């Protein structure tokens, strides 16, 4: 897979490029917003599929605001963008997602997690540029996010809610809660990264495998149903205009 790395710090770029190359990526390095846009397409050309499977975009660039660069990239191509930044607050994340980023990684990040996310967005969008031959798909998926999950294929616990991924069983305070297939898929998706905002389009394409606009209401209905079945209305938070996220309950919360 070809990957466009937008990073003005040569040391960071060199280290990251080496790691990515070891995992089968063909890395093109851009040192500024302008270089990044040049690498994609001339301005004014119709939006199209870029040669890259994924774009890693550092937000602190010398020439342009990283968020604006993201917006410009979005106008030129549908290639997934992962923002990489030291600004980890919720407002910055939401702003990034609003500017069209597909994911948001906060420095300092774990390389395994970054690789897992690159593969995840590439899979989600699977542009022709990203599908390609034998990329190192074995992504050392050490997605050690918030310490919530019991590892891949395990059980995710969120307060009184327990989600058993392999058996697709969900229980609240030890009592099984029957969920529909889509309700489970939706919950399992959000539970992959508690606290992280999932965009509506992203949820719809993952859970319903479609981008049909009418699914939007269906999503709302499923969220409402999950909130009531799990008896934790606050568990799934609506991020207005963006999507949803799981709120990690504090110790002793329910
Ligand atoms: Ca920078």
């Amino acid at each position: 897979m070809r990957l466009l790395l937008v990073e003005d710090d040569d040391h960071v770029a060199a280290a990251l490029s080496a790691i990515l190359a070891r995992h089968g990526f063909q890395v093109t390095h851009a040192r500024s917003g302008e270089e990044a846009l040049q690498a994609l397409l001339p301005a004014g050309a119709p939006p199209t599929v870029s040669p890259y499977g994924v774009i890693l975009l550092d937000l602190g660039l010398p020439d342009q605001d990283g968020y604006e660069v993201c917006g410009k990239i979005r106008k030129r191509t549908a290639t997934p963008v992962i923002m990489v930044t030291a600004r980890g607050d919720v407002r910055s994340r939401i702003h990034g997602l609003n500017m069209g980023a597909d994911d948001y990684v906060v420095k300092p990040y774990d390389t395994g997690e970054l690789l897992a996310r690159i593969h995840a967005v590439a899979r989600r969008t699977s542009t022709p540029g990203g599908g390609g031959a034998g990329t190192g798909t074995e992504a050392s998926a050490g997605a050690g996010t918030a310490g919530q999950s019991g590892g891949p294929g395990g059980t995710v616990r969120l307060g009184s809610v327990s989600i058993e991924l392999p058996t697709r069983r969900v229980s609240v305070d030890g009592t099984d809660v029957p969920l529909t297939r889509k309700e489970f898929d939706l919950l399992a998706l959000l539970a992959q990264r508690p606290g992280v905002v999932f965009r509506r389009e992203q949820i719809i394409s993952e859970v319903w495998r479609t981008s049909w606009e009418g699914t939007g209401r269906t999503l709302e209905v499923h969220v409402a149903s999950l909130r009531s079945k799990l008896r934790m209305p606050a568990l799934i938070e609506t991020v207005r205009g963006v999507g949803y996220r799981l709120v990690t309950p504090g110790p002793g919360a329910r």
Side-chain angles (χ1 to χ4, degrees):
M1 187 199 299
R2 291 184 63 181
L3 183 148
L4 179 62
L5 171 63
V6 189
E7 168 64 70
D8 60 315
D9 185 324
D10 281 339
H11 292 290
V12 173
L16 192 51
S17 296
I19 293 167
L20 290 167
R22 269 209 305 282
H23 284 81
F25 292 95
Q26 238 183 295
V27 181
T28 300
H29 177 204
R31 287 180 184 78
S32 66
E34 197 45 48
E35 268 186 45
L37 295 168
Q38 293 275 331
L40 284 169
L41 265 183
T48 183
V49 173
S50 78
Y52 306 101
V54 173
I55 299 167
L56 281 189
L57 175 64
D58 175 39
L59 286 185
L61 294 170
D63 59 335
Q64 299 182 39
D65 174 64
Y67 292 108
E68 274 169 35
V69 174
C70 182
K72 289 178 188 168
I73 290 174
R74 208 22 93 240
K75 288 205 179 88
R76 297 184 192 201
T77 170
T79 303
V81 175
I82 301 178
M83 286 185 170
V84 182
T85 172
R87 295 175 239 171
D89 58 292
V90 174
R91 270 165 184 277
S92 301
R93 284 171 191 252
I94 293 175
H95 187 42
L97 295 168
N98 275 333
M99 293 307 283
D102 293 83
D103 204 350
Y104 199 102
V105 176
V106 179
K107 292 176 185 175
Y109 50 80
D110 173 76
T111 316
E113 185 187 354
L114 180 66
L115 287 165
R117 290 188 181 210
I118 291 171
H119 284 293
V121 294
R123 215 169 34 237
R124 220 139 59 202
T125 50
S126 74
T127 55
T135 48
T137 310
E138 62 315 338
S140 43
T145 317
Q148 306 287 328
S149 75
T155 301
V156 180
R157 274 178 232 288
L158 297 154
S160 54
V161 179
S162 163
I163 309 164
E164 236 176 76
L165 297 172
T167 57
R168 300 175 64 88
R169 276 176 57 187
V170 173
S171 57
V172 177
D173 290 329
T175 307
D176 277 6
V177 177
L179 297 183
T180 67
R181 202 158 62 87
K182 293 299 182 197
E183 284 167 358
F184 180 88
D185 290 345
L186 170 59
L187 181 63
L189 174 68
L190 296 176
Q192 279 175 15
R193 281 184 270 138
V196 174
V197 181
F198 285 72
R199 284 193 298 141
R200 294 172 53 84
E201 309 88 89
Q202 185 183 338
I203 297 171
I204 288 167
S205 81
E206 287 260 316
V207 176
W208 281 271
R209 308 253 165 232
T210 172
S211 58
W212 180 51
E213 287 175 12
T215 319
R217 268 200 55 86
T218 311
L219 172 57
E220 254 108 68
V221 171
H222 280 72
V223 168
S225 168
L226 272 178
R227 282 174 176 154
S228 107
K229 281 187 178 178
L230 300 175
R231 287 175 278 136
M232 281 179 73
L235 180 68
I236 303 175
E237 184 184 82
T238 306
V239 182
R240 207 159 287 284
V242 184
Y244 296 95
R245 68 182 190 119
L246 278 196
V247 176
T248 318
R254 67 145 299 133

